[in-house]
Amino acid sequence: MSSAPRPLKGIRVVEFSHMVMGPTCGLILADLGADVVKVEPAPEGDKTRRLSGSGSGYFGTYNRNKRSISVNLKSIEGLEFAFNLVRASDVLLENFGVGVLDRLGLGYEAMQEINPSLVYCALKGFLNGPYEQRAALDEVVQMMGGLAYMTGPEGRPLRAGASINDVMGGLFGVIAIQAALWERQRTGKGTLVRSGLFENNMFLVAQHMVQYRKTGIPTLPMPERVSAWAVYDVFETADGEKLFVGVVSDKQWSQFCNAFGLDDLLLDAELKDNAQRVARRDAFMPRLCEMFAGQELSQAAAICESVGLPFAPILRPDQLFDDPHVNYAGATVEVTLSNGVRTQVPTLPFEYGGSRLNLYRDLPQVGEHNDAVARELGYTDEALERLRPSLGSITTAEKGVR
């Protein structure tokens, strides 16, 4: 476990969440040192723990550095336990459907009454507007918000290959929470902040919206677009691999031509600047494709790296485990998955005080911290025994399962 900086130490967060958006918000706060208490339904816990297929990596990715309590919120004792936890917390975050927490008595207005200094963060599909009551998923907002159109070839909308709106929506939730905590320093009062999946998607495609207003021409999908740069392409290499290369300035064009022996292109007056090269891509691109097809990936990549050109081999996510940069100290932490496998998980993508934020608590077992949290809230042994039927006790079979 790490002694890396924990700037949010002393802030307690109660997290009512599942899937990706809410857990991401809680993860960032937890990595920053907040005491994030994840409230899971008793007795089986967050359904994300048991997802298969493309969801099987969710829990292991987004729930380190948290504590877990499992509680039946439909019982009187369980709901009272949740109220007591909220009273003792600085932040509440939730990402359930519209009205779910309100029906349980855990909505913003009710929680503000019992804890006026509480920052309440609701992570939703849509913010205020005509769609506010709609159910949403990352894929839904990508389809209706133009991102899927921009990602796939024309006529073939394609969801981006990661939960980008969920993750970024959680991140914007953290930004709003931190702003609200700073405001509370002055006012002593908490507030309601909300982050929306659809609105996040709008932010992502805003450059394409503005491009249309400026040019009057609807933006083409990324695979069909007219690139802003003459060389911004994926090339096939002699060993059957693929290499992306970008040449985004006149200086880089000179470096590129010199490095790969393309003196005639460098001296061509009709290719002097980027705008000319974009207009004449068809004239020289076959030459570049032929050149890369005659080199192996390692050879072409080494040349690009030697002169500082942007380049990238095309890798699968599983291949990143063998990447030397991914394996550099601090880039990942090691957690224990539900099947007992120890695996690397990427840390937050920034440094704080010269260090990456690290692991100080492994993935929690379901309800692992029930007793500890209850005692922190002042529950006596007798009161804890009365509460216990409303908590999810860890069975022998579940021990060690995260």
Side-chain angles (χ1 to χ4, degrees), residues 172-349:
F172 279 115
V174 171
I175 294 170
I177 287 169
Q178 291 185 320
L181 288 172
W182 180 252
E183 182 183 34
R184 191 181 71 171
Q185 292 284 90
R186 301 194 307 273
T187 67
K189 296 180 180 180
T191 191
L192 171 67
V193 297
R194 302 174 77 223
S195 176
L197 277 180
F198 179 70
E199 287 72 18
N200 183 83
N201 192 90
M202 287 172 59
F203 190 79
L204 287 171
V205 301
Q207 59 182 314
H208 305 306
M209 296 169 66
V210 174
Q211 178 184 341
Y212 168 67
R213 286 300 195 196
K214 184 174 182 179
T215 66
I217 303 171
T219 308
L220 291 172
M222 295 299 275
E224 317 292 339
R225 74 194 184 283
V226 177
S227 176
W229 298 284
V231 181
Y232 208 72
D233 297 86
V234 175
F235 298 95
E236 296 239 3
T237 59
D239 46 355
E241 300 292 336
K242 290 181 171 62
L243 179 73
F244 168 81
V245 178
V247 178
V248 298
S249 70
D250 293 339
K251 178 181 178 181
Q252 287 185 358
W253 173 253
S254 176
Q255 292 172 324
F256 176 72
C257 291
N258 286 328
F260 286 98
L262 303 171
D263 297 342
D264 57 320
L265 296 184
L266 181 59
L267 296 174
D268 190 331
E270 294 184 338
L271 301 177
K272 185 177 181 180
D273 61 40
N274 183 68
Q276 290 175 301
R277 293 191 293 272
V278 170
R280 301 195 73 244
R281 269 175 55 88
D282 291 345
F284 64 81
M285 192 54 64
R287 170 88 176 277
L288 302 189
C289 291
E290 182 181 3
M291 177 195 71
F292 281 111
Q295 299 184 14
E296 293 193 351
L297 173 65
S298 58
Q299 179 186 2
I303 294 172
C304 289
E305 184 162 25
S306 69
V307 294
L309 293 172
F311 75 96
I314 312 304
L315 300 178
R316 303 186 309 269
D318 61 280
Q319 292 176 301
L320 296 180
F321 287 112
D322 298 320
D323 188 285
H325 198 79
V326 174
N327 284 292
Y328 189 75
T332 63
V333 293
E334 194 171 70
V335 299
T336 308
L337 302 180
S338 59
N339 59 2
V341 169
R342 298 280 293 170
T343 186
Q344 296 163 273
V345 180
T347 54
L348 296 184

Side-chain angles (χ1 to χ4, degrees), residues 35-221:
D35 175 20
V36 177
V37 179
K38 183 178 179 70
V39 180
E40 304 189 55
E44 296 183 339
D46 187 344
K47 291 181 180 179
T48 308
R49 292 176 178 270
R50 300 179 295 282
L51 286 180
S52 58
S54 61
S56 58
Y58 289 176
F59 192 86
T61 301
Y62 302 113
N63 289 285
R64 64 176 177 265
N65 289 336
K66 301 178 184 179
R67 297 197 288 174
S68 166
I69 63 170
S70 55
V71 58
N72 178 8
L73 294 175
K74 295 181 179 179
S75 71
I76 295 175
E77 295 82 2
L79 190 58
E80 182 183 13
F81 183 42
F83 283 175
N84 290 335
L85 179 58
V86 172
R87 283 191 186 94
S89 296
D90 301 283
V91 177
L92 183 153
L93 69 89
E94 63 95 3
N95 75 319
F96 286 98
V98 176
V100 170
L101 259 63
D102 293 276
R103 291 191 291 272
L104 288 168
L106 292 163
Y108 169 64
E109 292 182 359
M111 295 301 93
Q112 188 184 42
E113 286 187 11
I114 69 171
N115 184 355
S117 65
L118 183 73
V119 173
Y120 192 110
C121 178
L123 303 153
K124 299 300 178 183
F126 301 90
L127 298 183
N128 291 325
Y131 303 152
E132 185 177 3
Q133 300 298 316
R134 285 191 186 182
L137 300 168
D138 202 324
E139 198 144 344
V140 167
V141 301
Q142 288 193 37
M143 295 292 174
M144 68 184 293
L147 185 58
Y149 170 83
M150 289 302 302
T151 303
E154 193 162 13
R156 295 173 56 194
L158 182 67
R159 177 217 157 101
S163 303
I164 55 176
N165 288 300
D166 279 314
V167 172
M168 285 188 62
L171 173 60
F172 279 115
V174 171
I175 294 170
I177 287 169
Q178 291 185 320
L181 288 172
W182 180 252
E183 182 183 34
R184 191 181 71 171
Q185 292 284 90
R186 301 194 307 273
T187 67
K189 296 180 180 180
T191 191
L192 171 67
V193 297
R194 302 174 77 223
S195 176
L197 277 180
F198 179 70
E199 287 72 18
N200 183 83
N201 192 90
M202 287 172 59
F203 190 79
L204 287 171
V205 301
Q207 59 182 314
H208 305 306
M209 296 169 66
V210 174
Q211 178 184 341
Y212 168 67
R213 286 300 195 196
K214 184 174 182 179
T215 66
I217 303 171
T219 308
L220 291 172

